[in-house]
């Protein structure tokens, strides 16, 4: 069996704010920007890794969820507890300084975790938790 992670999904509540964060703050490539029925799905990914895609999507687009579920999702996004993404960098402190200088909302400054990882965390404009691990 040969399986690879090709795409993962993160919700957005403002496609223009999401695009600005992932393109201009994280410097991800924009690979697709598709509109349908007043909604947008934006696919981004890290440069040099065309096989890794993050699809930023409107959370209420799924016709199988109820209005109450949409409300719960919106409340969880506002609290930053609905979705997350873990990225990796070889130089955490330099990456943290760059992202902070670009206005990313800091959740946690770089620190050594008791489980052996050094990491930091930000929040994207939709409230998604973006954790960055230092991997050498």
């Amino acid at each position: 069996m040969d399986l690879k992670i090709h795409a993962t999904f993160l919700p957005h509540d403002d496609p223009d704010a999401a695009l600005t964060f992932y393109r201009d703050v994280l410097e991800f490539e924009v690979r697709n920007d598709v509109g349908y029925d007043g909604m947008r799905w934006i696919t981004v990914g890290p440069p040099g890794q065309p096989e890794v895609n993050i699809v930023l999507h409107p959370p209420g687009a799924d016709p199988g969820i109820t209005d109450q579920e949409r409300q719960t999702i919106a409340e969880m996004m506002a609290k930053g507890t609905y979705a997350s993404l873990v990225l990796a960098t070889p130089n955490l402190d330099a990456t943290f300084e760059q992202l902070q200088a670009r206005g990313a909302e800091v959740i946690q400054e770089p620190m050594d975790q008791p489980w052996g990882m050094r990491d930091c965390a930000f929040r994207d404009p939709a409230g998604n938790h973006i954790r960055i691990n230092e991997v050498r």
Side-chain angles (χ1 to χ4, degrees):
M1 187 178 309
D2 183 16
L3 295 174
K4 298 176 182 173
I5 296 174
H6 176 67
T8 188
F9 288 69
L10 284 178
H12 72 68
D13 54 5
D14 180 337
D16 293 325
L19 180 62
T20 298
F21 179 79
Y22 285 92
R23 181 193 60 208
D24 301 341
V25 176
L26 293 183
E27 297 184 340
F28 281 4
E29 297 173 341
V30 178
R31 299 182 178 151
N32 209 353
D33 191 341
V34 177
Y36 175 76
D37 201 21
M39 296 179 279
R40 282 172 65 191
W41 286 256
I42 303 167
T43 304
V44 297
Q49 299 178 51
E51 70 283 2
V52 177
N53 297 284
I54 301 165
V55 182
L56 307 167
H57 68 97
D62 185 339
I65 62 174
T66 67
D67 289 342
Q68 183 177 3
E69 290 168 330
R70 283 186 184 88
Q71 180 61 34
T72 299
I73 291 169
E75 290 170 4
M76 292 179 72
M77 287 174 62
K79 291 173 47 180
T81 58
Y82 184 67
S84 63
L85 177 68
V86 179
L87 304 172
T89 182
N91 187 336
L92 184 69
D93 293 303
T95 300
F96 177 83
E97 289 177 18
Q98 289 173 335
L99 297 179
Q100 187 178 37
R102 293 175 188 162
E105 181 184 350
V106 176
I107 297 174
Q108 174 209 301
E109 294 189 7
M111 65 180 292
D112 295 320
Q113 299 291 353
W115 57 86
M117 181 65 65
R118 181 167 173 74
D119 66 2
C120 66
F122 294 89
R123 185 182 324 267
D124 81 1
N128 297 311
H129 189 112
I130 310 298
R131 183 160 292 281
I132 303 175
N133 293 340
E134 185 169 65
V135 178
R136 295 175 185 228

